[in-house]
Amino acid sequence: MKKVVFFSVVCISLSASAQDKDPRLTEVWKPEPRVVTPGKTAASAPSDAIILFNGKNLDEWQARDGKAAKWKLEDDAMTVAKGAGEIKTKKSFGDCQLHIEWRSPAEVKGEGQGRGNSGIFLMGLYELQVLDSYNNRTYSNGQVGSIYKQLPPLVNASRKPGEWQTYDIIFTAPQFNKDSSLKSQARITVLHNGVLVQNNASIWGATQYIGIATNDVHSEKAPLVLQDHGDAVSFRNIWIREL
Ligand code: MG
């Protein structure tokens, strides 16, 4: 028994010393990460991004019923138009990195959930809240940066109403088993104006206004939806990278 112990100690020290001498043993060369040309700034689209909105047209968007999106287009931004309803992308997405800029109206009207409310529904189901939460208290899991009615943001990184704000989002779609049961929850990381507000957080399920989040099986990809909550929230510079 003693001999075996001695032998293995020698082997471990031999392989350890070989590694000490040859740095190549710990190098990984394949696969080689493909080249992506970054944008001029962190806010501009890198070379492999799909541009969802560049301020010029609503070509990538449609209304809920598949007809033309009727949001207002002006000043390189699109704005929720009264009664136009939500809009959704023509393309579908699952795991993604999403950059989106938004602005709540400069003229402050209403309070709580009634001030600069919109939302970004990943896969059309999971709402990252958009709200003017600058000096505007509401329930914590309904303020800006929250996963609505689920996860409060880590902090409130709001800019003043009327100022452009950014969301940088990393989203992992949920997975389902063959029997339609939930295999793994959706996860989300969100930077609000460059500040971390959701840190690889597990989303409970599809957003519900009343009651508990649900986890009905759905496809691997689905359109991104922007909410019409009756407030004139604007959006610009929207790009997405599929992961
Ligand atoms: Mg909302």
Side-chain angles (χ1 to χ4, degrees):
M1 189 64 187
K2 266 186 187 170
K3 266 186 192 168
V4 172
V5 171
F6 176 73
F7 180 71
S8 42
V9 167
V10 168
C11 282
I12 289 165
S13 63
L14 266 182
S15 66
S17 76
Q19 280 187 33
D20 287 346
K21 283 181 183 144
D22 190 353
R24 291 173 302 180
L25 290 172
T26 46
E27 293 175 358
V28 174
W29 284 76
K30 283 186 176 173
E32 182 184 1
R34 67 189 164 81
V35 172
V36 171
T37 308
K40 273 188 187 161
T41 70
S44 34
S47 59
D48 64 347
I50 296 168
I51 310 296
L52 291 177
F53 181 65
N54 63 3
K56 304 299 175 210
N57 59 65
L58 293 169
D59 290 357
E60 292 288 336
W61 300 85
Q62 57 190 352
R64 180 196 276 265
D65 60 7
K67 291 183 179 160
K70 289 197 177 120
W71 286 21
K72 250 187 288 176
L73 194 61
E74 56 187 8
D75 301 331
D76 288 337
M78 59 176 172
T79 301
V80 177
K82 251 202 171 134
E86 67 184 31
I87 59 171
K88 61 180 181 181
T89 54
K90 292 177 181 172
K91 294 188 180 83
S92 290
F93 305 98
D95 298 355
C96 64
Q97 174 187 352
L98 172 67
H99 175 88
I100 187 162
E101 301 180 15
W102 57 272
R103 181 183 63 188
S104 57
E107 186 192 343
V108 172
K109 277 187 201 161
E111 57 183 340
Q113 293 290 311
R115 182 185 300 180
N117 192 335
S118 181
I120 297 153
F121 282 76
L122 283 309
M123 306 193 85
L125 292 171
Y126 310 99
E127 184 185 11
L128 169 61
Q129 175 69 305
V130 167
L131 193 75
D132 174 9
S133 286
Y134 188 86
N135 292 333
N136 179 33
R137 188 78 179 108
T138 183
Y139 41 96
S140 301
N141 61 354
Q143 71 176 70
V144 74
S146 68
I147 303 305
Y148 186 72
K149 287 280 177 88
Q150 298 178 32
L151 311 168
L154 297 171
V155 293
N156 181 350
S158 291
R159 294 193 196 281
K160 290 178 182 168
E163 293 184 11
W164 283 103
Q165 313 204 38
T166 61
Y167 271 152
D168 285 283
I169 301 160
I170 297 155
F171 176 76
T172 304
Q175 293 188 340
F176 296 89
N177 295 306
K178 277 189 181 149
D179 68 357
S180 298
S181 60
L182 185 68
K183 184 176 177 188
S184 59
Q185 288 170 288
R187 295 198 314 278
I188 194 164
T189 295
V190 181
L191 297 164
H192 178 200
N193 298 322
V195 179
L196 186 69
V197 293
Q198 297 289 347
N199 186 9
N200 197 27
S202 291
I203 296 176
W204 299 351
T207 299
Q208 303 294 329
Y209 177 48
I210 299 169
I212 303 297
T214 51
N215 278 297
D216 297 329
V217 65
H218 57 74
S219 53
E220 283 176 17
K221 294 184 178 189
L224 182 73
V225 171
L226 300 181
Q227 186 183 43
D228 171 4
H229 203 281
D231 299 332
V233 176
S234 302
F235 293 87
R236 72 175 185 189
N237 189 22
I238 308 172
W239 51 263
I240 194 165
R241 296 182 62 242
E242 296 193 88
L243 301 178

PDB file of all heavy atoms in Angstrom, residues 113 116-121 127-131 142 148 227 229, ligand 1:
ATOM      1  N   GLN A 113     -47.158  53.958 -12.131  1.00  0.00           N
ATOM      2  CA  GLN A 113     -47.113  53.211 -13.389  1.00  0.00           C
ATOM      3  C   GLN A 113     -47.614  54.047 -14.573  1.00  0.00           C
ATOM      4  O   GLN A 113     -47.467  53.629 -15.719  1.00  0.00           O
ATOM      5  CB  GLN A 113     -47.948  51.930 -13.263  1.00  0.00           C
ATOM      6  CG  GLN A 113     -47.377  50.908 -12.289  1.00  0.00           C
ATOM      7  CD  GLN A 113     -46.094  50.260 -12.789  1.00  0.00           C
ATOM      8  OE1 GLN A 113     -46.028  49.810 -13.912  1.00  0.00           O
ATOM      9  NE2 GLN A 113     -45.066  50.239 -11.953  1.00  0.00           N
ATOM     10  N   GLY A 116     -44.548  57.588 -18.261  1.00  0.00           N
ATOM     11  CA  GLY A 116     -43.509  57.101 -19.188  1.00  0.00           C
ATOM     12  C   GLY A 116     -43.403  55.596 -19.181  1.00  0.00           C
ATOM     13  O   GLY A 116     -42.304  55.038 -19.196  1.00  0.00           O
ATOM     14  N   ASN A 117     -44.535  54.924 -19.197  1.00  0.00           N
ATOM     15  CA  ASN A 117     -44.541  53.460 -19.142  1.00  0.00           C
ATOM     16  C   ASN A 117     -44.513  52.866 -20.556  1.00  0.00           C
ATOM     17  O   ASN A 117     -45.280  53.247 -21.427  1.00  0.00           O
ATOM     18  CB  ASN A 117     -45.803  52.984 -18.399  1.00  0.00           C
ATOM     19  CG  ASN A 117     -45.760  51.501 -18.042  1.00  0.00           C
ATOM     20  OD1 ASN A 117     -45.081  50.711 -18.688  1.00  0.00           O
ATOM     21  ND2 ASN A 117     -46.484  51.137 -16.997  1.00  0.00           N
ATOM     22  N   SER A 118     -43.580  51.951 -20.759  1.00  0.00           N
ATOM     23  CA  SER A 118     -43.586  51.084 -21.930  1.00  0.00           C
ATOM     24  C   SER A 118     -42.929  49.787 -21.470  1.00  0.00           C
ATOM     25  O   SER A 118     -42.953  49.489 -20.254  1.00  0.00           O
ATOM     26  CB  SER A 118     -42.835  51.716 -23.114  1.00  0.00           C
ATOM     27  OG  SER A 118     -42.888  50.861 -24.249  1.00  0.00           O
ATOM     28  N   GLY A 119     -42.395  49.023 -22.358  1.00  0.00           N
ATOM     29  CA  GLY A 119     -41.753  47.779 -21.929  1.00  0.00           C
ATOM     30  C   GLY A 119     -41.158  47.055 -23.110  1.00  0.00           C
ATOM     31  O   GLY A 119     -41.588  47.248 -24.257  1.00  0.00           O
ATOM     32  N   ILE A 120     -40.149  46.281 -22.817  1.00  0.00           N
ATOM     33  CA  ILE A 120     -39.495  45.462 -23.837  1.00  0.00           C
ATOM     34  C   ILE A 120     -39.787  44.020 -23.487  1.00  0.00           C
ATOM     35  O   ILE A 120     -39.333  43.518 -22.448  1.00  0.00           O
ATOM     36  CB  ILE A 120     -37.984  45.752 -23.842  1.00  0.00           C
ATOM     37  CG1 ILE A 120     -37.754  47.220 -24.227  1.00  0.00           C
ATOM     38  CG2 ILE A 120     -37.256  44.802 -24.777  1.00  0.00           C
ATOM     39  CD1 ILE A 120     -36.501  47.804 -23.679  1.00  0.00           C
ATOM     40  N   PHE A 121     -40.583  43.370 -24.320  1.00  0.00           N
ATOM     41  CA  PHE A 121     -40.957  41.980 -24.063  1.00  0.00           C
ATOM     42  C   PHE A 121     -40.044  41.060 -24.863  1.00  0.00           C
ATOM     43  O   PHE A 121     -40.206  40.914 -26.091  1.00  0.00           O
ATOM     44  CB  PHE A 121     -42.422  41.733 -24.450  1.00  0.00           C
ATOM     45  CG  PHE A 121     -43.416  42.246 -23.441  1.00  0.00           C
ATOM     46  CD1 PHE A 121     -43.699  43.591 -23.351  1.00  0.00           C
ATOM     47  CD2 PHE A 121     -44.071  41.365 -22.589  1.00  0.00           C
ATOM     48  CE1 PHE A 121     -44.626  44.072 -22.423  1.00  0.00           C
ATOM     49  CE2 PHE A 121     -44.989  41.830 -21.653  1.00  0.00           C
ATOM     50  CZ  PHE A 121     -45.266  43.187 -21.570  1.00  0.00           C
ATOM     51  N   GLU A 127     -41.254  40.732 -19.758  1.00  0.00           N
ATOM     52  CA  GLU A 127     -41.154  42.194 -19.843  1.00  0.00           C
ATOM     53  C   GLU A 127     -40.050  42.780 -18.978  1.00  0.00           C
ATOM     54  O   GLU A 127     -40.061  42.658 -17.748  1.00  0.00           O
ATOM     55  CB  GLU A 127     -42.467  42.878 -19.431  1.00  0.00           C
ATOM     56  CG  GLU A 127     -42.364  44.411 -19.630  1.00  0.00           C
ATOM     57  CD  GLU A 127     -43.560  45.221 -19.154  1.00  0.00           C
ATOM     58  OE1 GLU A 127     -44.433  44.652 -18.471  1.00  0.00           O
ATOM     59  OE2 GLU A 127     -43.611  46.426 -19.462  1.00  0.00           O
ATOM     60  N   LEU A 128     -39.115  43.441 -19.664  1.00  0.00           N
ATOM     61  CA  LEU A 128     -38.191  44.346 -18.976  1.00  0.00           C
ATOM     62  C   LEU A 128     -38.890  45.697 -18.970  1.00  0.00           C
ATOM     63  O   LEU A 128     -39.155  46.276 -20.029  1.00  0.00           O
ATOM     64  CB  LEU A 128     -36.851  44.408 -19.720  1.00  0.00           C
ATOM     65  CG  LEU A 128     -35.891  45.499 -19.267  1.00  0.00           C
ATOM     66  CD1 LEU A 128     -35.485  45.333 -17.801  1.00  0.00           C
ATOM     67  CD2 LEU A 128     -34.651  45.526 -20.164  1.00  0.00           C
ATOM     68  N   GLN A 129     -39.207  46.186 -17.784  1.00  0.00           N
ATOM     69  CA  GLN A 129     -40.018  47.396 -17.675  1.00  0.00           C
ATOM     70  C   GLN A 129     -39.285  48.632 -18.166  1.00  0.00           C
ATOM     71  O   GLN A 129     -38.081  48.803 -17.918  1.00  0.00           O
ATOM     72  CB  GLN A 129     -40.425  47.589 -16.195  1.00  0.00           C
ATOM     73  CG  GLN A 129     -41.181  48.852 -15.877  1.00  0.00           C
ATOM     74  CD  GLN A 129     -42.592  48.881 -16.450  1.00  0.00           C
ATOM     75  OE1 GLN A 129     -42.802  48.710 -17.652  1.00  0.00           O
ATOM     76  NE2 GLN A 129     -43.558  49.120 -15.597  1.00  0.00           N
ATOM     77  N   VAL A 130     -40.007  49.463 -18.875  1.00  0.00           N
ATOM     78  CA  VAL A 130     -39.562  50.814 -19.209  1.00  0.00           C
ATOM     79  C   VAL A 130     -40.502  51.753 -18.475  1.00  0.00           C
ATOM     80  O   VAL A 130     -41.727  51.647 -18.614  1.00  0.00           O
ATOM     81  CB  VAL A 130     -39.637  51.046 -20.742  1.00  0.00           C
ATOM     82  CG1 VAL A 130     -39.483  52.521 -21.073  1.00  0.00           C
ATOM     83  CG2 VAL A 130     -38.579  50.221 -21.461  1.00  0.00           C
ATOM     84  N   LEU A 131     -39.947  52.627 -17.652  1.00  0.00           N
ATOM     85  CA  LEU A 131     -40.780  53.538 -16.860  1.00  0.00           C
ATOM     86  C   LEU A 131     -39.953  54.763 -16.495  1.00  0.00           C
ATOM     87  O   LEU A 131     -38.737  54.659 -16.298  1.00  0.00           O
ATOM     88  CB  LEU A 131     -41.240  52.828 -15.569  1.00  0.00           C
ATOM     89  CG  LEU A 131     -42.363  53.515 -14.796  1.00  0.00           C
ATOM     90  CD1 LEU A 131     -43.714  53.312 -15.491  1.00  0.00           C
ATOM     91  CD2 LEU A 131     -42.456  52.978 -13.360  1.00  0.00           C
ATOM     92  N   GLY A 142     -41.896  46.829 -10.280  1.00  0.00           N
ATOM     93  CA  GLY A 142     -42.583  47.417 -11.421  1.00  0.00           C
ATOM     94  C   GLY A 142     -41.886  48.685 -11.882  1.00  0.00           C
ATOM     95  O   GLY A 142     -42.342  49.342 -12.809  1.00  0.00           O
ATOM     96  N   TYR A 148     -40.941  42.790 -14.892  1.00  0.00           N
ATOM     97  CA  TYR A 148     -42.208  43.257 -14.327  1.00  0.00           C
ATOM     98  C   TYR A 148     -42.925  42.213 -13.474  1.00  0.00           C
ATOM     99  O   TYR A 148     -43.111  41.074 -13.894  1.00  0.00           O
ATOM    100  CB  TYR A 148     -43.125  43.739 -15.465  1.00  0.00           C
ATOM    101  CG  TYR A 148     -44.399  44.360 -14.947  1.00  0.00           C
ATOM    102  CD1 TYR A 148     -44.374  45.616 -14.339  1.00  0.00           C
ATOM    103  CD2 TYR A 148     -45.598  43.678 -15.030  1.00  0.00           C
ATOM    104  CE1 TYR A 148     -45.542  46.183 -13.845  1.00  0.00           C
ATOM    105  CE2 TYR A 148     -46.770  44.237 -14.539  1.00  0.00           C
ATOM    106  CZ  TYR A 148     -46.736  45.485 -13.943  1.00  0.00           C
ATOM    107  OH  TYR A 148     -47.884  46.036 -13.449  1.00  0.00           O
ATOM    108  N   GLN A 227     -44.017  47.669 -25.890  1.00  0.00           N
ATOM    109  CA  GLN A 227     -45.347  47.881 -25.324  1.00  0.00           C
ATOM    110  C   GLN A 227     -45.903  49.282 -25.615  1.00  0.00           C
ATOM    111  O   GLN A 227     -45.168  50.269 -25.560  1.00  0.00           O
ATOM    112  CB  GLN A 227     -45.262  47.688 -23.802  1.00  0.00           C
ATOM    113  CG  GLN A 227     -46.595  47.724 -23.083  1.00  0.00           C
ATOM    114  CD  GLN A 227     -46.414  47.593 -21.568  1.00  0.00           C
ATOM    115  OE1 GLN A 227     -45.533  48.210 -20.981  1.00  0.00           O
ATOM    116  NE2 GLN A 227     -47.252  46.790 -20.938  1.00  0.00           N
ATOM    117  N   HIS A 229     -48.270  51.482 -23.676  1.00  0.00           N
ATOM    118  CA  HIS A 229     -48.975  51.606 -22.400  1.00  0.00           C
ATOM    119  C   HIS A 229     -49.676  52.955 -22.333  1.00  0.00           C
ATOM    120  O   HIS A 229     -50.025  53.450 -21.266  1.00  0.00           O
ATOM    121  CB  HIS A 229     -47.982  51.447 -21.240  1.00  0.00           C
ATOM    122  CG  HIS A 229     -48.597  51.023 -19.939  1.00  0.00           C
ATOM    123  ND1 HIS A 229     -49.249  51.916 -19.107  1.00  0.00           N
ATOM    124  CD2 HIS A 229     -48.683  49.820 -19.339  1.00  0.00           C
ATOM    125  CE1 HIS A 229     -49.690  51.266 -18.032  1.00  0.00           C
ATOM    126  NE2 HIS A 229     -49.361  49.998 -18.145  1.00  0.00           N
TER     127      HIS A 229
HETATM  128 MG    MG B   1     -44.550  48.414 -18.996  1.00  0.00          MG
END
